[in-house]
Amino acid sequence: DWSSDVCSSDLAVKEAPEQISALMGMADNPQKQLQFPYELNLQKAKHVLLVGQGASGKSTALQTMLYSLTTRYTPEQLQYYLIDFSSGLINSFASMPHCGGLYGQNDEIEIKKLLAMIKDMVAERKALFTQHDVSNYDSYIQIAPLPMIVVVIDNIAGFNAFKDGSSFMLNFYEYLRRS
């Protein structure tokens, strides 16, 4: 089981990172005949949307990202919430200590609670930043540790199956905008 390898005691001794990034794969520069590791810096990117046709590798890319994040960072440095409306490929990351919850197509009420929790978390963090006279996450983590929160949604169109699907999308967009 790969998750037991990731959850080794080595996780607890990692130093605070300057940036939280995920190794996504290899990038290719055919003009220079070079390949190099492609890192997605989540602190700089803020919000990421991965788009592609069916069976183009989106879920695999999310698996790669989650594996990279769980092997590089402790739960004190990074936490994530998974919403899987797709193939279930990211479900294996629900057992990691970094995971705050896994939600799917039958979890409309729980997802509403998750969105309310995210809204409260954003308000709490803004108050914390104000209290310490900083304006953002990057500045705050220079003073004290605070885990980065990542919400991974595989097949965002799955919200449309909910009774209040468009409301979910609007609320989620508003939380992203405010964060």
Side-chain angles (χ1 to χ4, degrees):
D1 180 8
W2 66 268
S3 62
S4 62
D5 294 336
V6 172
C7 291
S8 70
S9 60
D10 293 343
L11 281 178
V13 297
K14 290 185 179 177
E15 293 181 21
E18 288 186 26
Q19 296 287 316
I20 292 184
S21 64
L23 177 64
M24 298 299 293
M26 296 298 287
D28 190 30
N29 183 338
Q31 290 179 325
K32 294 185 179 182
Q33 295 186 359
L34 293 174
Q35 288 187 328
F36 50 92
Y38 176 74
E39 296 276 337
L40 176 62
N41 185 324
L42 296 178
Q43 284 176 248
K44 287 184 181 176
K46 304 290 185 212
H47 309 296
V48 178
L49 179 63
L50 180 62
V51 180
Q53 295 180 351
S56 64
K58 297 178 302 293
S59 295
T60 302
L62 292 175
Q63 282 184 300
T64 301
M65 180 187 77
L66 287 166
Y67 184 79
S68 175
L69 292 171
T70 56
T71 57
R72 290 177 168 193
Y73 306 104
T74 68
E76 292 77 27
Q77 296 166 332
L78 177 118
Q79 297 171 3
Y80 56 78
Y81 296 87
L82 306 173
I83 302 174
D84 194 343
F85 294 128
S86 186
S87 61
L89 288 175
I90 63 172
N91 293 357
S92 60
F93 292 91
S95 63
M96 301 304 295
H98 305 74
C99 186
L102 170 66
Y103 308 91
Q105 293 174 338
N106 299 320
D107 299 324
E108 185 171 354
I109 293 170
E110 288 82 4
I111 292 173
K112 281 184 182 181
K113 291 177 184 176
L114 173 64
L115 293 179
M117 185 185 79
I118 291 169
K119 181 180 178 182
D120 291 345
M121 197 179 304
V122 168
E124 288 170 11
R125 287 181 176 216
K126 284 186 177 185
L128 191 62
F129 298 166
T130 299
Q131 177 185 354
H132 289 86
D133 199 27
V134 297
S135 61
N136 57 41
Y137 174 82
D138 294 340
S139 299
Y140 184 82
I141 62 171
Q142 302 302 314
I143 301 168
L146 184 68
M148 174 177 274
I149 304 299
V150 177
V151 178
V152 177
I153 304 171
D154 197 353
N155 189 14
I156 198 164
F159 280 119
N160 293 329
F162 290 162
K163 178 181 168 187
D164 296 328
S166 60
S167 171
F168 273 92
M169 292 300 296
L170 289 173
N171 285 334
F172 194 72
Y173 171 75
E174 184 62 23
Y175 300 149
L176 289 176
R177 190 183 68 75
R178 289 185 183 179
S179 66

